[in-house]
């Protein structure tokens, strides 16, 4: 199985959730999805909380974040 093309599922628009990346056709920010997974929710639990999401939407959110991390310069945050 190949990586989901996030470009087909993620939108960034100034009038949508303050310009945050969101799943196309929803107001669900990528950060909400990834944060929920980081907090220990399973993809199924995320879908239960946001029934309009598909597994591919969740994969697209992760693929988007993976690409952003690869392209950005990261600076360690103080503890």
């Amino acid at each position: 199985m190949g990586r989901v093309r996030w470009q087909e599922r993620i939108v960034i628009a100034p009038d949508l959730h303050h310009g945050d990346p969101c799943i196309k056709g929803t107001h669900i920010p990528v950060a909400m999805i990834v944060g929920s997974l980081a907090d220990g929710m399973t993809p199924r639990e995320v879908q239960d909380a946001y029934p309009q999401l598909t597994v591919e939407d969740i994969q697209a959110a992760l693929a988007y974040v993976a690409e952003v991390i690869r392209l950005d310069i990261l600076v360690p945050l103080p503890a």
Side-chain angles (χ1 to χ4, degrees), residues 1-75:
M1 177 176 172
R3 181 174 282 187
V4 171
R5 289 187 36 84
W6 65 261
Q7 297 88 339
E8 296 170 1
R9 295 181 176 271
I10 307 288
V11 294
I12 302 171
D15 59 338
L16 179 63
H17 210 277
H18 311 289
D20 293 336
C22 292
I23 300 300
K24 188 181 289 185
T26 75
H27 291 149
I28 302 171
V30 168
M32 177 75 71
I33 296 167
V34 175
S36 296
L37 295 169
D39 288 341
M41 290 177 75
T42 65
R44 181 74 240 163
E45 290 171 327
V46 174
Q47 279 186 288
D48 289 344
Y50 303 97
Q52 62 271 52
L53 292 178
T54 65
V55 170
E56 291 80 11
D57 292 332
I58 295 169
Q59 291 171 330
L62 292 171
Y64 172 79
V65 170
E67 187 161 328
V68 167
I69 293 291
R70 236 186 343 269
L71 299 175
D72 277 355
I73 298 171
L74 301 177
V75 178

